[in-house]
Amino acid sequence: MLSSFSSISTAVSFPDAEEDCVLLWKSLDALRLQNNLAKERGDPEYTFYDGPPFATGLPHYGHILAGTIKDTVTRYAAQTGHYVSRRAGWDCHGLPVEYEIDQQLNITRREQVLEMGIDTYNKHCRGIVTRYTGEWETTVNRLGRWIDFRDDYKTMDPTFMESVWWVFKTLFDKGLVYQGYKVMPFSTACGTPLSNFEAGLNYKEDTVDPAVVVSFPLVDDSDVSLIAWTTTPWTLPSNLALCVHPDLQYVKVKDLKTGKVMVMAEERLKQVWPQMGGKKWKKENEKELFERLDKYKGSDLVGWKYKPLFPYFSSFPGNTFWRVLSDTYVTSDSGTGIVHQAPAFGEDDYRVCLAAGVIEKGGEIPCPVDANGIFTEDCADFKGRYVKEADDDICALLKSAGRLVQKDQIKHSYPFCWRSDTPLIYKAVPSWFVKVEEIKDRLLANNEKTYWVPSHVKEVRFRNWLRDARDWAVSRNRFWGTPIPVWASESFDEVVCVGSVEELRELSGVSVSDLHRETVDKIEIPSKKNPGTTLKRIDEVFDCWFESGSMPYAQKHYPFENAEEFEGQFPADFIAEGLDQTRGWFYTLMVLSTALFDKPAFKNLIVNGLVLAGDGKKMSKRLKNYPDPTLVINKYGADALRMYLINSPVVRAEPLKFQEEGVLGVVKDVFLPWFNAFRFLMQNVERWEGEAGGRFAPDKGKVASSTNSIDVWLTARTQGLIKFVHQEMSAYRLYTVMPELVAFVTELTNWYVRLNRDRLKGTDEDAETGLQVLYDTLLDVTVLMSPFTPFISEYFYQHLRKLQPSYADREEGGRVNPPLPGKSDSVHLLRVPAYDPSLLNDTAVQGFKVLQKIIKLGRDAREKRLISVKMPIACMVVVLPLTAAEILEDVRTKLADYVKSELNSWDVRFVTREEEHEWVKISLLPDLKVLGKKLGKKMSGVKKALVAMTHEEAKKAIADGSAEVGGVTIDFKSEVLSKYTYAKEGDERWEGAVHSDGDVVVAIDTKEDPALVAAGKCREVITNIQKLRKSAGLEMADKVEAFYKEVGAAMGGTLAACIKSNADTFVKKFDGMVPLPEELASSSKIYASATVDIGASKVVISIRPPSVSVASGVGEGPRMFLATVDVKDLERGMALKCNIDGEDMELSEGKEWFLNATDRAVAEKVI
């Protein structure tokens, strides 16, 4: 049975074809089938972790990008002999969920949650977690990503949460957990800390706050004061230290008006004397304001002690308060260059004071403000006052004590609570910490064991983050999350950390099936230290980052289940996420895996950049500054979007400004040419089978044994591509793979198919060999591309497989091992091809590169003289001065005919080394960077001498390596820049072009003669006939006859003479058909016609179905009879018998009638 591919449309809809693939994969249960076959074969496992996204919104381009990278790498792994489990995961806890519920239920205060009950609140949270999972699954599947949604994991699953407990318990037992303080944005109206995300929701630009400068007299000299500036006077009662920049210049000055002596940053004197910042200020004016007494470097001030503003904490146990510290976070942009430190109310304050020992890690810190922002009894003068309302009274008290230097106001941007619309404060809240600083050396060491793409993210950004890492606050004062499994007495003198459901049952006697707060908060554990009392669970839940960092263990319910399986697969072979995860998921994975196992959690990592809107701004639903992903997919197809994303800078962790035109470009520049090459192959296979009378059977032996130079090139190029892809994918460099794949598809379609089009349309053995090579290449590229463009690869494979002998076994063997092209039901069940070293041929590949350069330069030379490629030229000259001898020989002997054909040249001459001086000249210039210092004033003379050297002199100097030029010995390898140039510039007959590499020079003969003009006109006729065939929608096998009428010319017009002299060209091109004068047309039916310009003439060209052509002189009766005969029923040499007007007649082919008009024209000597 012969093949049938006539159903392949000329205008493919890639989105529609992709929808068919989705249905195919669903019917196959393709991911499970792929994995089951891998397990059956015993393929080694390739471990992949998918970072869990929140399912509270729909996928955006960032998700699509990361998902495409993950899918590409895991598909490649699966198709190179690995079992790859790909479980979907969902981040279910934390702020995104609570935020939606708070808005939905109009919750603005923590007390509202407690009033409704945590169980009710968490029930609402649980209800929306999976709201969008269905939409996610639909979108992800439509994108072609294979991931298992049926065997997914959720961070709210009891098994997942229990493993999180185990992680924390293990760290607790290792002494890596402690309770301390973390300064966080705090809503005094709601009485709860907020995340940074929440704090950023409601900034108000024109917030007015006090701005005061306060003095701090020195203990050793009370006449001298350090002065500090603050916009939060309410924090001054909690001042414990002052901070300076170690490298700033500080001065001691005397205010000539008040007599007070102050120390401040020199750059900030204008804070006290604003006139110093005016345009009219002159330095000599300062003697009217103050006197300079001394100057210091910031580091000189460290350790100075000063008198506290208030006495509230002077009896604090073991205090070392009220001294000068230093840190580089201090700036000279505002204030006095001295920053007041209240560690209970500032993140930097807390960090600096902790590092200096002013406060202790895990210890108490002075904090005279309660959860509602009210001063406590620790601050007796302001007890019961709301902090913001106490600002003026605090300033008044400081003024009466002589400590207020300056009071002003500032208008600035300030965060407000998104729930209550009240100003936020920053406040130290009790938190549970993991001791990251203690394992910092191990983190850095484990980071070195990982491989990142691009490497600089690991070596700079991530390494610096690890180097500067601080202890990690893992607790949050929330409701919907994994409860921290710590039970403690009221005084915290007895603390128990629980690591499992079973341990909780043993300690409390209570069995649970859920671990959320509504279940575990009411469980109490009998005290062992104080019998008769109980331990209660602490209030906090885990930060959701702790959960996502635990996913390698928790997704498998380790160590309670799958222990051996997990330990054999850890660390993961591969993960991938965006650049923002260097401080997120990548970090938490590394911290927990190092703390637990002293290993990194992953071996290989691809970091992607951010996808921005086309204007370079962040994509915004509100601004609508980007196209909807669903619309883009429906318009161009998911493969086009996938390829656009992973063939961009974004896979090198650089930003991408998304342009819809780029997705369209993939369709136009890659997919359509690829499809056209595929369709061309399938049509010609069907045509070849019909004309040769046999079945086309793919034969790799014929491919390997072909001696056709272009076949050899394409086969070698394909094998080189396969080798390159394996090499680069093993290094996870998608950014090098995709450009090479795109370039190859371009070469396949624009070079191999175009150069071989006529050959591949033949019926002989050479035509079949060409089809074999094209088929083999397309199949290899289809399978090779399948991890990258899964849909279009599947589409091509489903057609290409039909030619394979094993296709007959598809009913029984389509879904079983071993996978084979043909029988296997999906391209994704096949192995990505391995390269064949015996088919690599660098000479052929390099020779073809030279051919491409020659053709490009020939076109360039034509364009310079405005000579259309349709117009033949008599001769062209090629100079290859730097090409290796074996490559030059390959081009000269095997590729010259392709040069002539592509450039429409009747002859091509390759110039020998001895003749090259007639066509090229070596131009020399001194390398100024190298020779500048060496020659000095001699440079001018040497340059003139270099420019004046002849071609042969320059050639000899380069070959010798050095020569004396202008009286100086010059190294021609390192001190001279050389370039081949065209030596016949300005020549009237010859036009040249030089490649930018200087290794190829081409010249064309521009002289015209009548024979060239005639051939050029015939080429234009051929082009227009092809256009008419296309416009008529004809298939390749459809036969036509072409006719022309030269407007205003007789039958023997100028075009007729041109066609007659070039008849052989038409015979070869159109399988024996030659365009003829319209007077010779028999059929009145016209497929298509057009009036075109051929040379200086208007010509009407038409194409018609073949019909019987009646010889000149045949009478009207026989002519009418022959008009009724269908040419399809006739054969060469046939005689037709008929009776016309009572007379029996015999009309013979070749005498009274012909099978086509061309046969008649030959017989009657029209051509």
Side-chain angles (χ1 to χ4, degrees), residues 132-175:
Y132 291 119
T133 53
E135 287 91 337
W136 268 78
E137 184 170 354
T138 299
T139 302
V140 169
N141 287 339
R142 181 60 189 85
L143 283 163
R145 185 180 179 196
W146 282 9
I147 189 163
D148 194 342
F149 285 103
R150 279 181 281 171
D151 186 31
D152 62 358
Y153 70 87
K154 299 180 180 69
T155 60
M156 68 180 184
D157 292 339
T159 52
F160 192 100
M161 296 169 72
E162 184 178 25
S163 291
V164 174
W165 276 19
W166 169 82
V167 171
F168 186 77
K169 163 80 168 178
T170 304
L171 302 185
F172 188 92
D173 290 346
K174 288 186 173 188

Side-chain angles (χ1 to χ4, degrees), residues 176-182 431-435 471-474:
L176 292 175
V177 172
Y178 70 92
Q179 189 180 29
Y181 288 91
K182 180 178 177 64
S431 294
W432 289 84
F433 289 83
V434 172
K435 295 181 180 178
D471 290 351
W472 175 19
V474 298

Side-chain angles (χ1 to χ4, degrees), residues 899-917:
V899 173
K900 289 191 284 187
S901 173
E902 277 298 293
L903 292 174
N904 199 8
S905 177
W906 287 0
D907 189 25
V908 59
R909 183 160 66 89
F910 291 87
V911 173
T912 64
R913 297 282 193 264
E914 293 74 26
E915 300 174 291
E916 68 178 33
H917 65 278

Side-chain angles (χ1 to χ4, degrees), residues 530-826:
N530 300 297
T533 64
T534 59
L535 310 180
K536 296 182 179 180
R537 200 194 70 81
I538 61 173
D539 191 56
E540 294 92 338
V541 299
F542 283 112
D543 174 16
C544 57
W545 285 111
F546 191 86
E547 294 179 317
S548 58
S550 300
M551 67 76 57
Y553 331 106
Q555 68 164 336
K556 289 187 175 293
H557 196 207
Y558 180 85
F560 310 104
E561 296 181 79
N562 308 306
E564 186 176 345
E565 178 186 343
F566 166 77
E567 288 162 8
Q569 299 165 358
F570 185 78
D573 289 296
F574 169 66
I575 66 170
E577 290 294 345
L579 186 62
D580 54 332
Q581 295 302 324
T582 50
R583 298 183 178 187
W585 192 48
F586 304 155
Y587 176 71
T588 61
L589 283 174
M590 183 67 79
V591 168
L592 293 183
S593 65
T594 298
L596 293 170
F597 301 109
D598 195 20
K599 291 180 180 179
F602 53 87
K603 299 173 187 174
N604 303 289
L605 165 61
I606 295 178
V607 187
N608 63 262
L610 299 178
V611 183
L612 305 174
D615 57 6
K617 297 178 181 177
K618 188 176 180 180
M619 288 186 171
S620 166
K621 287 183 181 179
R622 181 178 59 83
L623 296 176
K624 297 181 180 179
N625 60 351
Y626 64 94
D628 185 313
T630 303
L631 297 179
V632 170
I633 293 168
N634 291 340
K635 191 173 182 181
Y636 307 108
D639 271 350
L641 178 57
R642 287 171 64 114
M643 180 172 274
Y644 170 69
L645 290 173
I646 57 176
N647 190 33
S648 75
V650 81
V651 292
R652 298 194 301 269
E654 298 172 17
L656 167 67
K657 295 179 183 178
F658 186 88
Q659 302 287 347
E660 187 176 341
E661 294 82 3
V663 185
L664 172 62
V666 171
V667 175
K668 288 168 52 181
D669 301 335
V670 182
F671 289 174
L672 284 176
W674 188 7
F675 170 79
N676 289 335
F678 154 78
R679 185 171 179 272
F680 177 80
L681 167 74
M682 305 312 276
Q683 285 179 323
N684 276 286
V685 164
E686 186 173 358
R687 179 200 51 75
W688 183 88
E689 288 182 335
E691 295 181 7
R695 179 165 176 79
F696 180 87
D699 187 337
K700 283 188 172 291
K702 290 182 178 179
V703 174
S705 61
S706 174
T707 57
N708 177 283
S709 56
I710 304 295
D711 289 352
V712 172
W713 162 73
L714 182 61
T715 301
R717 181 78 173 85
T718 304
Q719 297 305 311
L721 174 70
I722 295 170
K723 179 182 179 182
F724 177 82
V725 170
H726 283 299
Q727 169 188 305
E728 295 303 291
M729 284 301 290
S730 67
Y732 295 88
R733 289 190 287 261
L734 271 67
Y735 59 86
T736 60
V737 171
M738 288 312 303
E740 190 66 15
L741 287 170
V742 171
F744 181 85
V745 169
T746 302
E747 288 189 350
L748 174 67
T749 56
N750 288 358
W751 290 95
Y752 183 81
V753 172
R754 193 179 78 242
L755 293 179
N756 280 279
R757 188 171 291 276
D758 291 342
R759 172 194 174 208
L760 295 171
K761 290 180 179 179
T763 56
D764 57 8
E765 185 178 337
D766 187 43
E768 189 215 353
T769 300
L771 292 172
Q772 290 282 358
V773 171
L774 182 55
Y775 175 88
D776 191 65
T777 297
L778 279 170
L779 182 61
D780 275 347
V781 172
T782 293
V783 182
L784 191 65
M785 289 281 278
S786 59
F788 304 90
T789 52
F791 291 106
I792 194 171
S793 299
E794 187 73 87
Y795 172 81
F796 290 150
Y797 171 73
Q798 292 301 330
H799 289 287
L800 293 168
R801 67 184 292 213
K802 296 174 184 177
L803 295 172
Q804 290 285 339
S806 73
Y807 182 64
D809 303 325
R810 65 191 182 281
E811 295 297 332
E812 299 295 327
R815 306 180 187 187
V816 300
N817 282 317
L820 287 174
K823 84 173 183 70
S824 291
D825 281 343
S826 171

Side-chain angles (χ1 to χ4, degrees), residues 352-363:
V352 171
C353 288
L354 186 65
V358 174
I359 58 175
E360 294 181 0
K361 185 182 293 187

Side-chain angles (χ1 to χ4, degrees), residues 938-956:
K938 294 182 180 180
M939 174 63 78
S940 177
V942 169
K943 182 178 180 179
K944 287 180 181 178
L946 282 171
V947 171
M949 289 180 75
T950 67
H951 176 80
E952 292 301 331
E953 289 171 342
K955 189 174 178 181
K956 184 177 185 305

